[in-house]
Amino acid sequence: MLKLYGYWRSSAAYRVRIALNLKGLAYRQVPVHLLKDGGQQHGAEYRALNPQELVPLLVDEVNGGARISQSLAILEYLDEVFPVPTLLPADPVERAQVRSLALHIACEIHPLNNLRVLQYLTGELGIGDEAKSAWYRHWVAQGLAALEQGLETLGDKLSLTNRPGYLEACLVPQVYNARRFACDLAAYPRILEMVARCETLPAFQQAAPEVQPDAR
Ligand SMILES: N[C@@H](CCC(=O)N[C@@H](CS)C(=O)NCC(=O)O)C(=O)O
């Protein structure tokens, strides 16, 4: 059995839920509340499982209870252990291009707007809510603009919208977050089209934050 430690609103956990659903894999969710008790990700119990103090964490009980943190490491693990349907294209150039765009989300946009970063801005640095939102929107706008251009450059070579995988698993949660913080997305029609198509698919619908068991 696969066990996923996550939080309904965590976009990194959302990526993994999408990947698990795309592969049709059964999994059990273990909620880690990122705000309650000062953040359960910092509690001794969870820290013992994942010293990074972040969700998601995948535990593969069939594979010796292997614990894997970092959503993209989890996606790659799932693709290696359960290769069909694959999350990445077969062609090495396309694989690298898909990874590049996904990493742009996971390494460039998301970390700057993660909960602990926002908490540090408003806590230790005393930044107000308005400035925090400006910070958030700045990095989303810069990141999505580059992504939109990347999608335009690749054009039809990225035939992924018919069979979404690695990139879409990162893109849909990032856009969900951007909408939550009222970012203006009008300048990114390719991104919006990709997301809209994904949102018609059960694998994405069933991974949506609002339908998770721990959603309040
Ligand atoms: N690079 C990590 C990011 C994980 C991450 O930042 N998770 C967030 C939720 S989306 C988290 O656990 N935040 C807790 C915190 O900031 O204290 C991944 O892809 O798994």
Side-chain angles (χ1 to χ4, degrees):
M1 175 52 101
L2 294 167
K3 223 159 59 170
L4 178 66
Y5 289 79
Y7 178 62
W8 65 288
R9 255 183 174 164
S10 153
S11 61
Y14 189 0
R15 292 172 196 155
V16 177
R17 293 195 300 265
I18 292 169
L20 287 162
N21 293 348
L22 284 171
K23 287 184 175 289
L25 295 167
Y27 62 99
R28 189 157 68 79
Q29 297 207 46
V30 184
V32 178
H33 202 295
L34 298 185
L35 300 169
K36 225 185 252 173
D37 314 324
Q40 292 173 350
Q41 70 277 27
H42 304 304
E45 202 183 324
Y46 185 71
R47 219 166 351 111
L49 293 172
N50 181 9
Q52 295 180 13
E53 300 179 35
L54 297 166
V55 294
L57 172 74
L58 185 80
V59 177
D60 187 350
E61 287 172 337
V62 172
N63 212 348
R67 292 198 294 260
I68 302 152
S69 56
Q70 289 291 338
S71 60
L72 295 192
I74 297 172
L75 262 54
E76 305 240 357
Y77 174 77
L78 292 174
D79 230 18
E80 284 164 21
V81 178
F82 309 99
V84 181
T86 174
L87 297 173
L88 281 160
D91 176 71
V93 173
E94 274 193 31
R95 279 168 92 82
Q97 286 166 335
V98 163
R99 283 191 174 114
S100 165
L101 295 179
L103 286 168
H104 187 69
I105 296 170
C107 300
E108 310 300 335
I109 305 176
H110 179 265
L112 287 163
N113 287 341
N114 195 8
L115 177 64
R116 60 185 174 176
V117 172
L118 302 181
Q119 283 174 338
Y120 189 75
L121 288 174
T122 54
E124 279 85 341
L125 299 186
I127 282 168
D129 267 352
E130 215 169 292
K132 179 189 87 172
S133 297
W135 165 280
Y136 192 102
R137 292 191 191 117
H138 171 76
W139 296 116
V140 166
Q142 197 177 84
L144 291 188
L147 208 61
E148 178 76 12
Q149 215 179 321
L151 290 176
E152 186 180 354
T153 308
L154 291 177
D156 292 341
K157 272 200 282 171
L158 268 190
S159 53
L160 291 164
T161 39
N162 293 327
R163 200 175 56 75
Y166 199 85
L167 173 58
E168 289 81 353
C170 293
L171 184 63
V172 168
Q174 183 58 58
V175 167
Y176 170 86
N177 272 0
R179 285 180 172 144
R180 201 179 137 212
F181 281 81
C183 300
D184 182 1
L185 303 179
Y188 322 118
R190 279 174 193 81
I191 290 175
L192 291 179
E193 194 196 323
M194 260 176 117
V195 169
R197 283 201 223 170
C198 290
E199 284 172 345
T200 65
L201 304 173
F204 286 82
Q205 291 165 354
Q206 287 157 18
E210 281 70 24
V211 301
Q212 301 314 303
D214 57 327
R216 50 160 177 76

